[in-house]
């Protein structure tokens, strides 16, 4: 083995072998250089290695108590998981950070979130009742199979969307924007979906089991002060799945179809389009390249037709 001919270099081949202090060797004889300083390990406490893996921080089975999660209590990259708790209050102070907050099968849960949530996401699943106060960026809230949920944001700038499925009652409040108040839930959505005058809903839609998304509805550009886009209430829409399983809404599918149709018209792409005629008429193109261009144009038109069909469904 290499250990025998060069013992000074290959003194440790296995992890079980004892570690030796490294030294500078004379390449001619494989011996330590005279007067060469030995590389001694640095004194003092070892620096903490960065933790790359996400570590769950679990609160489970707690009843009638309050938990304040300080930065010292949490691992460097923590996902806060709360399961099977009753009448529990959880506080995340400003100096604490978690990747995400997720609660499952809780009753009487109160979340006071002031620390950083790096993914800006909160998930609640099968929680009978929950009260959440967000003093931090919490752009996405996902609610599934929940009872009564009350969401309060200190600032509307911390909010982007709330997605709900089978939520009995949902209230959404903003301390700095009272005009964005929302009362939602199964009963409210049933009434709205049965109203054919509301284009954001599908009349007669079976609300149970369906997914709805609520976002701030902007005014058209130029209608606000100085031509700026301004908030104009909240819009709740039924989430649909397009042919490629991408989540969208009827309004977004209709707008996408219109944008794509306009873009294709401007480019002159399509059957008999000017751009396609110029490209396919080029003598430098092979037959295979012409076929590929024609297929791209046909696919683009098919995409427009599919988006228009989804918007009209």
């Amino acid at each position: 083995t290499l250990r025998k001919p060069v013992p000074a270099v290959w003194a440790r081949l296995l992890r079980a072998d004892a570690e030796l202090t490294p030294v500078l060797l004379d390449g001619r004889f494989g011996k330590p250089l005279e007067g060469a300083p030995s590389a001694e390990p640095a004194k003092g406490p070892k620096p903490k290695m960065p933790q790359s893996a996400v570590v769950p921080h679990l609160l489970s089975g707690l009843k009638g108590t309050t938990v304040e999660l300080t930065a010292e209590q949490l691992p460097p990259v923590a996902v806060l998981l709360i399961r099977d708790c009753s009448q529990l209050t959880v506080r995340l102070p400003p100096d604490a950070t978690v990747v995400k907050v997720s609660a499952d099968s809780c009753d009487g849960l109160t979340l006071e979130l002031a620390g950083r949530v790096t993914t800006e996401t909160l998930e609640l699943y099968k929680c009978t009742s929950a009260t959440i106060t967000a003093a931090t960026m919490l752009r996405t809230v996902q609610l599934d199979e929940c009872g009564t949920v009350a969401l309060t944001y200190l600032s509307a700038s911390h909010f982007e969307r709330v997605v709900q499925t089978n939520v009995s009652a949902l209230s959404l409040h903003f301390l700095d924007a009272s005009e964005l108040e929302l009362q939602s839930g199964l009963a409210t959505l049933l009434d709205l979906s049965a109203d054919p005058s509301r284009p954001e809903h599908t009349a007669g839609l079976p609300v149970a089991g369906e997914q709805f998304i609520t976002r701030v509805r902007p005014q058209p550009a130029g209608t606000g002060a100085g031509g700026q886009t301004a908030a104009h209430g909240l819009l709740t829409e039924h989430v649909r799945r397009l042919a490629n399983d991408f989540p969208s809404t009827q309004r977004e599918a209709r707008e996408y179809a219109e944008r794509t149709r306009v873009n294709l018209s401007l480019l002159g792409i399509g059957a008999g389009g000017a751009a396609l005629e110029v490209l396919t008429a080029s003598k430098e193109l092979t037959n295979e390249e012409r076929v590929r261009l024609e297929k791209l144009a046909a696919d683009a038109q098919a995409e427009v037709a599919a988006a228009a069909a989804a918007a009209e469904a």
Side-chain angles (χ1 to χ4, degrees), residues 16 20 29 52 64 72 74 96 102 116 152-153 160 175 206 210 222 236 256 283 290 292 297 308 310:
L20 300 178
F29 307 106
S52 58
E72 292 74 18
L74 294 168
S102 179
R116 184 186 177 200
T152 300
Y153 282 83
E160 187 171 298
L175 297 187
E210 295 294 328
T236 299
Y256 172 77
K283 295 181 180 179
R290 290 192 184 92
R292 288 176 59 187

Side-chain angles (χ1 to χ4, degrees), residues 18-299:
E19 291 192 29
L20 300 178
T21 301
V23 295
L24 294 176
L25 299 179
D26 188 330
R28 295 173 297 170
F29 307 106
K31 296 180 180 180
L33 290 171
E34 294 182 5
S38 61
E40 297 181 357
K43 297 180 180 180
K46 294 182 179 180
K48 292 184 179 180
M49 297 298 291
Q51 188 171 358
S52 58
V54 174
V55 177
H57 186 80
L58 178 63
L59 303 177
S60 179
L62 300 179
K63 295 183 180 180
T65 187
T66 298
V67 176
E68 183 158 349
L69 300 171
T70 62
E72 292 74 18
Q73 294 174 326
L74 294 168
V77 188
V79 172
L80 178 56
L81 302 178
I82 308 169
R83 294 176 181 168
D84 302 311
C85 294
S86 177
Q87 305 304 317
L88 172 67
T89 297
V90 179
R91 297 193 179 108
L92 188 71
D95 64 337
T97 299
V98 295
V99 176
K100 183 175 68 172
V101 180
S102 179
D104 183 354
S105 303
C106 294
D107 177 36
L109 176 65
T110 299
L111 298 177
E112 299 174 3
L113 306 176
R116 184 186 177 200
V117 182
T118 54
T119 62
E120 303 173 353
T121 300
L122 166 67
E123 298 174 348
L124 299 184
Y125 176 66
K126 288 189 175 180
C127 291
T128 307
S129 59
T131 301
I132 299 97
T133 302
T136 186
M137 284 289 185
L138 204 62
R139 294 186 183 276
T140 301
V141 177
Q142 178 88 35
L143 308 173
D144 291 300
E145 308 288 342
C146 291
T148 302
V149 179
L151 274 168
T152 300
Y153 282 83
L154 269 62
S155 172
S157 63
H158 295 160
F159 169 82
E160 187 171 298
R161 66 175 68 86
V162 56
V163 182
Q164 59 173 309
T165 303
N166 286 351
V167 176
S168 299
L170 167 64
S171 62
L172 184 58
H173 306 277
F174 301 91
L175 297 187
D176 65 341
S178 58
E179 69 276 8
L180 297 180
E181 301 282 324
L182 173 73
Q183 299 295 328
S184 187
L186 283 174
T188 304
L189 292 172
L190 278 171
D191 292 340
L192 293 176
S193 66
D195 184 356
S197 66
R198 300 184 64 89
E200 65 266 34
H201 295 286
T202 302
L205 177 73
V207 170
E210 295 294 328
Q211 196 173 56
F212 292 84
I213 184 170
T214 299
R215 292 169 288 193
V216 177
R217 171 168 41 191
Q219 289 181 348
T223 57
Q228 300 296 319
T229 300
H232 189 60
L234 295 173
L235 175 64
T236 299
E237 299 174 282
H238 174 225
V239 176
R240 300 168 174 231
R241 296 282 171 176
L242 301 181
N244 59 358
D245 205 36
F246 185 81
S248 184
T249 65
Q250 184 180 37
R251 174 184 56 82
E252 289 173 326
R254 184 169 55 248
E255 292 175 354
Y256 172 77
E258 184 59 29
R259 285 197 309 271
T260 308
R261 185 181 297 110
V262 170
N263 290 339
L264 290 177
S265 176
L266 291 174
L267 293 173
I269 295 178
L276 183 60
E277 287 182 1
V278 170
L279 289 173
T280 55
S282 174
K283 295 181 180 179
E284 297 179 0
L285 292 178
T286 65
N287 289 333
E288 181 181 355
E289 289 171 335
R290 290 192 184 92
V291 170
R292 288 176 59 187
L293 281 172
E294 291 172 353
K295 184 178 184 304
L296 286 174
D299 290 345

